[in-house]
PDB file of all heavy atoms in Angstrom:
ATOM      1  N   VAL A   1     211.165 174.488  66.125  1.00  0.00           N
ATOM      2  CA  VAL A   1     211.966 175.529  66.770  1.00  0.00           C
ATOM      3  C   VAL A   1     211.001 176.692  67.141  1.00  0.00           C
ATOM      4  O   VAL A   1     211.015 177.247  68.321  1.00  0.00           O
ATOM      5  CB  VAL A   1     213.038 176.197  65.941  1.00  0.00           C
ATOM      6  CG1 VAL A   1     213.787 177.254  66.508  1.00  0.00           C
ATOM      7  CG2 VAL A   1     214.026 175.052  65.547  1.00  0.00           C
ATOM      8  N   TYR A   2     210.061 177.034  66.319  1.00  0.00           N
ATOM      9  CA  TYR A   2     209.112 178.056  66.659  1.00  0.00           C
ATOM     10  C   TYR A   2     208.174 177.628  67.891  1.00  0.00           C
ATOM     11  O   TYR A   2     207.884 178.326  68.676  1.00  0.00           O
ATOM     12  CB  TYR A   2     208.174 178.468  65.396  1.00  0.00           C
ATOM     13  CG  TYR A   2     207.022 179.177  65.852  1.00  0.00           C
ATOM     14  CD1 TYR A   2     207.011 180.580  66.247  1.00  0.00           C
ATOM     15  CD2 TYR A   2     205.742 178.500  65.887  1.00  0.00           C
ATOM     16  CE1 TYR A   2     205.911 181.235  66.614  1.00  0.00           C
ATOM     17  CE2 TYR A   2     204.620 179.226  66.273  1.00  0.00           C
ATOM     18  CZ  TYR A   2     204.677 180.520  66.678  1.00  0.00           C
ATOM     19  OH  TYR A   2     203.588 181.129  67.035  1.00  0.00           O
ATOM     20  N   TRP A   3     207.774 176.283  67.694  1.00  0.00           N
ATOM     21  CA  TRP A   3     206.911 175.745  68.817  1.00  0.00           C
ATOM     22  C   TRP A   3     207.533 175.751  70.157  1.00  0.00           C
ATOM     23  O   TRP A   3     207.050 176.056  71.119  1.00  0.00           O
ATOM     24  CB  TRP A   3     206.417 174.313  68.479  1.00  0.00           C
ATOM     25  CG  TRP A   3     205.209 174.054  69.235  1.00  0.00           C
ATOM     26  CD1 TRP A   3     205.124 173.002  70.265  1.00  0.00           C
ATOM     27  CD2 TRP A   3     203.928 174.577  69.166  1.00  0.00           C
ATOM     28  NE1 TRP A   3     203.909 172.966  70.735  1.00  0.00           N
ATOM     29  CE2 TRP A   3     203.151 173.985  70.082  1.00  0.00           C
ATOM     30  CE3 TRP A   3     203.329 175.545  68.337  1.00  0.00           C
ATOM     31  CZ2 TRP A   3     201.725 174.162  70.303  1.00  0.00           C
ATOM     32  CZ3 TRP A   3     202.027 175.890  68.441  1.00  0.00           C
ATOM     33  CH2 TRP A   3     201.211 175.237  69.438  1.00  0.00           C
ATOM     34  N   MET A   4     208.953 175.552  70.174  1.00  0.00           N
ATOM     35  CA  MET A   4     209.737 175.599  71.311  1.00  0.00           C
ATOM     36  C   MET A   4     209.723 176.926  71.928  1.00  0.00           C
ATOM     37  O   MET A   4     209.446 177.116  73.125  1.00  0.00           O
ATOM     38  CB  MET A   4     211.162 175.150  71.065  1.00  0.00           C
ATOM     39  CG  MET A   4     212.082 175.194  72.243  1.00  0.00           C
ATOM     40  SD  MET A   4     213.720 174.546  71.816  1.00  0.00           S
ATOM     41  CE  MET A   4     214.294 175.765  70.695  1.00  0.00           C
ATOM     42  N   LEU A   5     209.910 177.995  71.047  1.00  0.00           N
ATOM     43  CA  LEU A   5     209.838 179.335  71.556  1.00  0.00           C
ATOM     44  C   LEU A   5     208.385 179.716  72.059  1.00  0.00           C
ATOM     45  O   LEU A   5     208.193 180.326  73.070  1.00  0.00           O
ATOM     46  CB  LEU A   5     210.175 180.252  70.429  1.00  0.00           C
ATOM     47  CG  LEU A   5     210.338 181.768  70.721  1.00  0.00           C
ATOM     48  CD1 LEU A   5     211.286 182.063  71.863  1.00  0.00           C
ATOM     49  CD2 LEU A   5     210.614 182.614  69.444  1.00  0.00           C
ATOM     50  N   ASN A   6     207.365 179.247  71.269  1.00  0.00           N
ATOM     51  CA  ASN A   6     206.023 179.520  71.668  1.00  0.00           C
ATOM     52  C   ASN A   6     205.618 178.965  73.101  1.00  0.00           C
ATOM     53  O   ASN A   6     205.049 179.590  73.956  1.00  0.00           O
ATOM     54  CB  ASN A   6     205.046 179.004  70.674  1.00  0.00           C
ATOM     55  CG  ASN A   6     203.622 179.191  70.916  1.00  0.00           C
ATOM     56  OD1 ASN A   6     203.194 180.168  71.506  1.00  0.00           O
ATOM     57  ND2 ASN A   6     202.675 178.230  70.682  1.00  0.00           N
ATOM     58  N   VAL A   7     206.009 177.756  73.205  1.00  0.00           N
ATOM     59  CA  VAL A   7     205.769 177.052  74.621  1.00  0.00           C
ATOM     60  C   VAL A   7     206.603 177.733  75.749  1.00  0.00           C
ATOM     61  O   VAL A   7     205.999 177.815  76.893  1.00  0.00           O
ATOM     62  CB  VAL A   7     206.077 175.608  74.439  1.00  0.00           C
ATOM     63  CG1 VAL A   7     205.872 174.876  75.882  1.00  0.00           C
ATOM     64  CG2 VAL A   7     205.118 174.867  73.436  1.00  0.00           C
ATOM     65  N   SER A   8     207.743 178.111  75.407  1.00  0.00           N
ATOM     66  CA  SER A   8     208.532 178.799  76.456  1.00  0.00           C
ATOM     67  C   SER A   8     207.910 180.032  76.973  1.00  0.00           C
ATOM     68  O   SER A   8     208.186 180.472  78.185  1.00  0.00           O
ATOM     69  CB  SER A   8     209.979 179.065  75.955  1.00  0.00           C
ATOM     70  OG  SER A   8     209.893 180.203  75.073  1.00  0.00           O
ATOM     71  N   LEU A   9     207.026 180.720  76.213  1.00  0.00           N
ATOM     72  CA  LEU A   9     206.335 181.927  76.620  1.00  0.00           C
ATOM     73  C   LEU A   9     204.855 181.659  77.038  1.00  0.00           C
ATOM     74  O   LEU A   9     204.169 182.648  77.328  1.00  0.00           O
ATOM     75  CB  LEU A   9     206.357 182.903  75.434  1.00  0.00           C
ATOM     76  CG  LEU A   9     207.694 183.364  74.907  1.00  0.00           C
ATOM     77  CD1 LEU A   9     207.536 184.275  73.650  1.00  0.00           C
ATOM     78  CD2 LEU A   9     208.427 184.223  75.994  1.00  0.00           C
ATOM     79  N   THR A  10     204.507 180.410  77.087  1.00  0.00           N
ATOM     80  CA  THR A  10     203.100 180.043  77.503  1.00  0.00           C
ATOM     81  C   THR A  10     202.880 179.830  78.895  1.00  0.00           C
ATOM     82  O   THR A  10     203.795 179.345  79.629  1.00  0.00           O
ATOM     83  CB  THR A  10     202.649 178.911  76.747  1.00  0.00           C
ATOM     84  OG1 THR A  10     202.863 179.005  75.282  1.00  0.00           O
ATOM     85  CG2 THR A  10     201.230 178.463  77.024  1.00  0.00           C
ATOM     86  N   ARG A  11     201.826 180.356  79.488  1.00  0.00           N
ATOM     87  CA  ARG A  11     201.467 180.205  80.977  1.00  0.00           C
ATOM     88  C   ARG A  11     201.174 178.732  81.240  1.00  0.00           C
ATOM     89  O   ARG A  11     200.728 178.104  80.388  1.00  0.00           O
ATOM     90  CB  ARG A  11     200.354 181.080  81.315  1.00  0.00           C
ATOM     91  CG  ARG A  11     200.520 182.574  81.077  1.00  0.00           C
ATOM     92  CD  ARG A  11     199.409 183.391  81.561  1.00  0.00           C
ATOM     93  NE  ARG A  11     198.094 182.908  80.901  1.00  0.00           N
ATOM     94  CZ  ARG A  11     196.872 183.320  81.169  1.00  0.00           C
ATOM     95  NH1 ARG A  11     196.722 184.317  82.131  1.00  0.00           N
ATOM     96  NH2 ARG A  11     195.843 182.981  80.562  1.00  0.00           N
ATOM     97  N   ASP A  12     201.355 178.359  82.527  1.00  0.00           N
ATOM     98  CA  ASP A  12     201.170 176.944  82.959  1.00  0.00           C
ATOM     99  C   ASP A  12     199.606 176.609  82.650  1.00  0.00           C
ATOM    100  O   ASP A  12     199.345 175.443  82.182  1.00  0.00           O
ATOM    101  CB  ASP A  12     201.471 176.761  84.380  1.00  0.00           C
ATOM    102  CG  ASP A  12     202.890 176.845  84.656  1.00  0.00           C
ATOM    103  OD1 ASP A  12     203.751 176.533  83.633  1.00  0.00           O
ATOM    104  OD2 ASP A  12     203.404 177.032  85.684  1.00  0.00           O
ATOM    105  N   GLN A  13     198.816 177.566  82.911  1.00  0.00           N
ATOM    106  CA  GLN A  13     197.271 177.212  82.829  1.00  0.00           C
ATOM    107  C   GLN A  13     196.955 177.130  81.399  1.00  0.00           C
ATOM    108  O   GLN A  13     195.748 176.561  81.137  1.00  0.00           O
ATOM    109  CB  GLN A  13     196.477 178.204  83.466  1.00  0.00           C
ATOM    110  CG  GLN A  13     196.753 179.562  83.084  1.00  0.00           C
ATOM    111  CD  GLN A  13     197.723 180.397  83.979  1.00  0.00           C
ATOM    112  OE1 GLN A  13     198.653 179.716  84.377  1.00  0.00           O
ATOM    113  NE2 GLN A  13     197.352 181.671  84.226  1.00  0.00           N
ATOM    114  N   ASP A  14     197.734 177.556  80.423  1.00  0.00           N
ATOM    115  CA  ASP A  14     197.379 177.419  79.010  1.00  0.00           C
ATOM    116  C   ASP A  14     198.013 176.307  78.263  1.00  0.00           C
ATOM    117  O   ASP A  14     197.725 176.150  77.100  1.00  0.00           O
ATOM    118  CB  ASP A  14     197.775 178.807  78.262  1.00  0.00           C
ATOM    119  CG  ASP A  14     196.978 179.894  78.777  1.00  0.00           C
ATOM    120  OD1 ASP A  14     195.878 179.764  79.287  1.00  0.00           O
ATOM    121  OD2 ASP A  14     197.567 181.063  78.693  1.00  0.00           O
ATOM    122  N   MET A  15     198.729 175.459  79.009  1.00  0.00           N
ATOM    123  CA  MET A  15     199.545 174.325  78.375  1.00  0.00           C
ATOM    124  C   MET A  15     198.581 173.359  77.785  1.00  0.00           C
ATOM    125  O   MET A  15     198.846 172.677  76.783  1.00  0.00           O
ATOM    126  CB  MET A  15     200.472 173.660  79.494  1.00  0.00           C
ATOM    127  CG  MET A  15     201.533 174.632  79.856  1.00  0.00           C
ATOM    128  SD  MET A  15     202.718 174.841  78.333  1.00  0.00           S
ATOM    129  CE  MET A  15     203.905 175.926  79.094  1.00  0.00           C
ATOM    130  N   ARG A  16     197.502 173.049  78.489  1.00  0.00           N
ATOM    131  CA  ARG A  16     196.581 171.999  78.002  1.00  0.00           C
ATOM    132  C   ARG A  16     195.412 172.378  77.215  1.00  0.00           C
ATOM    133  O   ARG A  16     194.390 171.683  77.132  1.00  0.00           O
ATOM    134  CB  ARG A  16     196.220 171.175  79.278  1.00  0.00           C
ATOM    135  CG  ARG A  16     197.402 170.550  79.996  1.00  0.00           C
ATOM    136  CD  ARG A  16     196.947 169.642  81.106  1.00  0.00           C
ATOM    137  NE  ARG A  16     197.993 168.973  81.839  1.00  0.00           N
ATOM    138  CZ  ARG A  16     198.698 168.027  81.428  1.00  0.00           C
ATOM    139  NH1 ARG A  16     198.346 167.400  80.343  1.00  0.00           N
ATOM    140  NH2 ARG A  16     199.747 167.465  82.168  1.00  0.00           N
ATOM    141  N   LYS A  17     195.488 173.674  76.756  1.00  0.00           N
ATOM    142  CA  LYS A  17     194.347 174.187  75.938  1.00  0.00           C
ATOM    143  C   LYS A  17     194.234 173.284  74.630  1.00  0.00           C
ATOM    144  O   LYS A  17     195.186 172.827  74.080  1.00  0.00           O
ATOM    145  CB  LYS A  17     194.577 175.614  75.577  1.00  0.00           C
ATOM    146  CG  LYS A  17     194.376 176.558  76.702  1.00  0.00           C
ATOM    147  CD  LYS A  17     194.533 178.046  76.205  1.00  0.00           C
ATOM    148  CE  LYS A  17     193.408 178.301  75.171  1.00  0.00           C
ATOM    149  NZ  LYS A  17     193.467 179.731  74.814  1.00  0.00           N
ATOM    150  N   SER A  18     192.993 173.121  74.291  1.00  0.00           N
ATOM    151  CA  SER A  18     192.681 172.332  73.065  1.00  0.00           C
ATOM    152  C   SER A  18     191.679 173.094  72.074  1.00  0.00           C
ATOM    153  O   SER A  18     190.530 173.327  72.516  1.00  0.00           O
ATOM    154  CB  SER A  18     192.252 170.954  73.322  1.00  0.00           C
ATOM    155  OG  SER A  18     191.979 170.195  72.187  1.00  0.00           O
ATOM    156  N   PRO A  19     192.085 173.528  70.971  1.00  0.00           N
ATOM    157  CA  PRO A  19     193.369 173.454  70.363  1.00  0.00           C
ATOM    158  C   PRO A  19     194.334 174.388  71.010  1.00  0.00           C
ATOM    159  O   PRO A  19     193.959 175.429  71.550  1.00  0.00           O
ATOM    160  CB  PRO A  19     193.110 173.753  68.925  1.00  0.00           C
ATOM    161  CG  PRO A  19     191.986 174.714  68.894  1.00  0.00           C
ATOM    162  CD  PRO A  19     191.125 174.221  70.065  1.00  0.00           C
ATOM    163  N   PRO A  20     195.717 174.114  71.023  1.00  0.00           N
ATOM    164  CA  PRO A  20     196.624 174.995  71.618  1.00  0.00           C
ATOM    165  C   PRO A  20     196.775 176.312  70.827  1.00  0.00           C
ATOM    166  O   PRO A  20     196.440 176.406  69.620  1.00  0.00           O
ATOM    167  CB  PRO A  20     197.956 174.232  71.492  1.00  0.00           C
ATOM    168  CG  PRO A  20     197.760 173.321  70.327  1.00  0.00           C
ATOM    169  CD  PRO A  20     196.315 172.916  70.363  1.00  0.00           C
ATOM    170  N   ASP A  21     197.275 177.373  71.481  1.00  0.00           N
ATOM    171  CA  ASP A  21     197.386 178.665  70.876  1.00  0.00           C
ATOM    172  C   ASP A  21     198.654 178.584  69.909  1.00  0.00           C
ATOM    173  O   ASP A  21     199.770 178.183  70.325  1.00  0.00           O
ATOM    174  CB  ASP A  21     197.602 179.730  71.901  1.00  0.00           C
ATOM    175  CG  ASP A  21     196.317 179.946  72.795  1.00  0.00           C
ATOM    176  OD1 ASP A  21     195.291 179.807  72.116  1.00  0.00           O
ATOM    177  OD2 ASP A  21     196.538 180.259  73.923  1.00  0.00           O
ATOM    178  N   LEU A  22     198.461 179.049  68.688  1.00  0.00           N
ATOM    179  CA  LEU A  22     199.540 179.092  67.728  1.00  0.00           C
ATOM    180  C   LEU A  22     200.595 180.305  68.122  1.00  0.00           C
ATOM    181  O   LEU A  22     201.673 180.295  67.707  1.00  0.00           O
ATOM    182  CB  LEU A  22     199.097 179.372  66.371  1.00  0.00           C
ATOM    183  CG  LEU A  22     198.346 178.098  65.796  1.00  0.00           C
ATOM    184  CD1 LEU A  22     197.897 178.378  64.328  1.00  0.00           C
ATOM    185  CD2 LEU A  22     199.306 176.873  65.758  1.00  0.00           C
ATOM    186  N   PHE A  23     200.061 181.230  68.895  1.00  0.00           N
ATOM    187  CA  PHE A  23     200.769 182.293  69.403  1.00  0.00           C
ATOM    188  C   PHE A  23     200.492 182.424  70.857  1.00  0.00           C
ATOM    189  O   PHE A  23     199.420 182.262  71.308  1.00  0.00           O
ATOM    190  CB  PHE A  23     200.403 183.685  68.570  1.00  0.00           C
ATOM    191  CG  PHE A  23     200.569 183.558  67.084  1.00  0.00           C
ATOM    192  CD1 PHE A  23     199.503 183.287  66.320  1.00  0.00           C
ATOM    193  CD2 PHE A  23     201.804 183.846  66.540  1.00  0.00           C
ATOM    194  CE1 PHE A  23     199.586 183.161  64.928  1.00  0.00           C
ATOM    195  CE2 PHE A  23     201.926 183.726  65.117  1.00  0.00           C
ATOM    196  CZ  PHE A  23     200.863 183.378  64.321  1.00  0.00           C
ATOM    197  N   PRO A  24     201.479 182.926  71.563  1.00  0.00           N
ATOM    198  CA  PRO A  24     201.282 183.052  73.039  1.00  0.00           C
ATOM    199  C   PRO A  24     200.427 184.216  73.423  1.00  0.00           C
ATOM    200  O   PRO A  24     200.962 185.384  73.446  1.00  0.00           O
ATOM    201  CB  PRO A  24     202.787 183.214  73.614  1.00  0.00           C
ATOM    202  CG  PRO A  24     203.523 183.743  72.393  1.00  0.00           C
ATOM    203  CD  PRO A  24     202.902 183.136  71.244  1.00  0.00           C
ATOM    204  N   ALA A  25     199.106 184.151  73.480  1.00  0.00           N
ATOM    205  CA  ALA A  25     198.225 185.250  73.684  1.00  0.00           C
ATOM    206  C   ALA A  25     198.522 185.961  74.950  1.00  0.00           C
ATOM    207  O   ALA A  25     198.376 187.076  75.098  1.00  0.00           O
ATOM    208  CB  ALA A  25     196.758 184.781  73.640  1.00  0.00           C
TER     209      ALA A  25
END
């Protein structure tokens, strides 16, 4: 549920970051 909220606030260009951001910077 938290990850769903995190991804909903993430920019398109940050979607494929590795490792992904645990918080939407």
Side-chain angles (χ1 to χ4, degrees):
V1 178
Y2 165 74
W3 198 250
M4 177 177 67
L5 181 61
N6 180 34
V7 174
S8 71
L9 297 172
T10 302
R11 300 182 303 176
D12 290 335
Q13 57 266 37
D14 295 334
M15 288 293 174
R16 299 186 181 275
K17 288 184 62 175
S18 182
D21 293 328
L22 292 178
F23 303 95

